[in-house]
Amino acid sequence: MRSTLKMPKVGDAANEVVIMELLVKVGDAVAEGQNLFVVETDKAQLEVPAPFAGTVRDILIKVGEEVPTGAPTLVLEA
Protein backbone atom coordinates (compact mmCIF):
# COMPACT_ATOMS: atom_id res chain seq x y z
CA MET A 1 0.00 0.00 0.00
CA ARG A 2 1.38 3.41 -1.02
CA SER A 3 0.79 6.44 1.15
CA THR A 4 1.62 10.06 0.44
CA LEU A 5 3.03 11.51 3.64
CA LYS A 6 2.10 15.08 4.49
CA MET A 7 4.13 17.70 6.31
CA PRO A 8 3.19 17.45 9.98
CA LYS A 9 2.68 20.49 12.19
CA VAL A 10 6.14 20.85 13.74
CA GLY A 11 5.64 23.77 16.09
CA ASP A 12 2.96 25.77 17.81
CA ALA A 13 3.33 28.81 15.55
CA ALA A 14 5.00 27.35 12.44
CA ASN A 15 2.65 26.87 9.50
CA GLU A 16 5.52 26.64 7.02
CA VAL A 17 9.01 25.13 7.27
CA VAL A 18 12.13 25.08 5.10
CA ILE A 19 13.55 21.71 4.03
CA MET A 20 17.17 21.69 5.21
CA GLU A 21 18.27 18.13 4.43
CA LEU A 22 16.89 14.95 2.90
CA LEU A 23 18.01 11.86 4.84
CA VAL A 24 16.61 9.25 2.43
CA LYS A 25 16.49 8.65 -1.31
CA VAL A 26 14.07 6.85 -3.63
CA GLY A 27 14.37 3.10 -3.12
CA ASP A 28 15.54 3.30 0.51
CA ALA A 29 13.91 0.97 3.02
CA VAL A 30 13.03 2.87 6.21
CA ALA A 31 12.00 1.72 9.67
CA GLU A 32 9.11 3.20 11.63
CA GLY A 33 10.47 6.24 13.47
CA GLN A 34 13.52 6.61 11.21
CA ASN A 35 14.18 10.24 10.31
CA LEU A 36 13.27 11.14 6.72
CA PHE A 37 14.27 14.79 6.46
CA VAL A 38 15.29 17.83 8.49
CA VAL A 39 13.20 21.01 8.55
CA GLU A 40 13.81 24.46 9.98
CA THR A 41 11.27 26.75 11.58
CA ASP A 42 12.00 30.30 12.68
CA LYS A 43 13.06 28.84 16.06
CA ALA A 44 14.64 25.41 15.54
CA GLN A 45 15.72 22.58 13.28
CA LEU A 46 13.71 19.37 13.64
CA GLU A 47 13.86 15.88 12.16
CA VAL A 48 10.67 14.38 10.71
CA PRO A 49 10.33 10.61 11.29
CA ALA A 50 8.58 7.92 9.22
CA PRO A 51 5.13 7.07 10.64
CA PHE A 52 5.53 3.43 9.51
CA ALA A 53 8.13 1.13 7.94
CA GLY A 54 8.32 0.92 4.16
CA THR A 55 10.19 1.85 0.99
CA VAL A 56 10.57 5.39 -0.30
CA ARG A 57 8.90 5.49 -3.76
CA ASP A 58 8.95 9.24 -4.53
CA ILE A 59 10.28 12.43 -2.94
CA LEU A 60 8.04 15.44 -3.51
CA ILE A 61 10.13 18.08 -1.70
CA LYS A 62 13.53 19.69 -2.35
CA VAL A 63 16.23 21.10 -0.10
CA GLY A 64 15.68 24.83 0.37
CA GLU A 65 11.97 24.63 -0.44
CA GLU A 66 9.38 26.24 1.85
CA VAL A 67 6.67 23.67 2.62
CA PRO A 68 3.37 24.42 4.39
CA THR A 69 1.83 22.14 6.99
CA GLY A 70 -0.24 19.47 5.26
CA ALA A 71 1.64 19.59 1.93
CA PRO A 72 2.71 16.25 0.38
CA THR A 73 6.35 15.39 1.17
CA LEU A 74 7.05 11.86 -0.04
CA VAL A 75 5.47 8.58 -1.06
CA LEU A 76 6.11 5.59 1.21
CA GLU A 77 5.05 2.05 0.33
CA ALA A 78 4.44 -0.35 3.20
Side-chain angles (χ1 to χ4, degrees), residues 14-47:
N15 290 321
E16 193 168 78
V17 296
V18 176
I19 306 299
M20 298 305 292
E21 183 179 1
L22 295 172
L23 303 174
V24 297
K25 62 185 182 308
V26 173
D28 283 357
V30 297
E32 181 178 350
Q34 179 178 337
N35 292 324
L36 301 172
F37 49 90
V38 179
V39 300
E40 183 175 78
T41 68
D42 57 345
K43 296 183 181 184
Q45 281 194 355
L46 304 161
E47 295 170 331

Side-chain angles (χ1 to χ4, degrees), residues 1-3 5 28-34 36 49-56 75-78:
M1 175 177 78
R2 288 184 184 215
S3 295
L5 304 183
D28 283 357
V30 297
E32 181 178 350
Q34 179 178 337
L36 301 172
F52 56 88
T55 303
V56 178
V75 178
L76 193 61
E77 184 170 22

Side-chain angles (χ1 to χ4, degrees), residues 48-67:
V48 178
F52 56 88
T55 303
V56 178
R57 293 296 176 204
D58 198 9
I59 298 176
L60 308 171
I61 54 176
K62 296 177 184 149
V63 171
E65 182 177 8
E66 291 185 13
V67 179

